Amino acid sequence: MQEQTRIQRNTGINTERAWVGLDVPITLDRIETQSTSVAIKGHYSIKNFGHGPAFKVMQSGNFIQQTNLEMEKREADFYCDSSVKFATGTVPVGGEMKQPPPFGYTLFPSQGKDYPIEYQGGTDTLRFLQFVGCVAYTDQFKTVHWTRFCMERRPGDTSKVPKLDFCALYNDTDEPKD
């Protein structure tokens, strides 16, 4: 009986909580190359698809360099780890610095927010054009959640400003409780 009550409670929470994720796919607007550097401009949107408000919403992300799968995973994990730390006020500090409070804004149900992309780096980025981002937030039940997203150039796409598709990796979220 207690197990059934626990399952029903958790189901109710997962139904009513905030669910924040990528709304408008990552779109590249312009790519400018010079001899050894590249400047990329683009945009994307996140949205609260859930029924409750999302508090302390923080996102981070960028283009990643493909060196090997282990390094790529570390970079992808870094975006979620840093977003969670800012949203929860657990950013590492040292010396005389005080721990900052949680950062972030509130997204109500069906509300979204746009983000610009302004990247400058080496032309190596264009060989393996992959953007990984993560959004972290706290729901109305005071539970921290995160959603990670990844989009990359289609295989064989050689256009100057390619259309991005979802990656096979790094499109995931924290696990809801039973």
Side-chain angles (χ1 to χ4, degrees), residues 16 34 62 64 88-89 94 110 115 123 127 152 169 177:
E16 294 304 315
Q34 294 182 348
N62 212 339
I64 63 173
T88 58
S110 300
Y115 290 96
T123 53
R127 258 185 326 145
E152 64 188 356
L169 294 171
K177 295 183 177 31

Side-chain angles (χ1 to χ4, degrees), residues 16-33:
E16 294 304 315
R17 76 173 183 88
W19 289 86
V20 180
L22 190 62
D23 182 26
V24 175
I26 298 164
T27 301
L28 302 182
D29 301 317
R30 188 170 71 229
I31 298 176
E32 296 173 359
T33 56

Side-chain angles (χ1 to χ4, degrees), residues 151-168:
M151 295 190 78
E152 64 188 356
R153 175 197 314 253
R154 289 181 184 175
D157 186 350
T158 57
S159 61
K160 184 163 171 95
V161 181
K163 181 179 184 317
L164 302 180
D165 285 325
F166 286 98
C167 305

Side-chain angles (χ1 to χ4, degrees), residues 49-90:
F49 294 94
H51 293 141
F55 303 104
K56 302 302 177 191
V57 178
M58 286 299 297
Q59 69 78 40
S60 63
N62 212 339
F63 290 97
I64 63 173
Q65 301 292 320
Q66 183 184 30
T67 51
N68 63 52
L69 199 53
E70 185 179 321
M71 285 300 294
E72 187 180 307
K73 180 177 178 354
R74 273 193 214 147
E75 273 192 79
D77 288 346
F78 170 78
Y79 295 121
C80 278
D81 291 343
S82 60
S83 292
V84 167
K85 286 177 180 172
F86 276 101
T88 58
T90 57

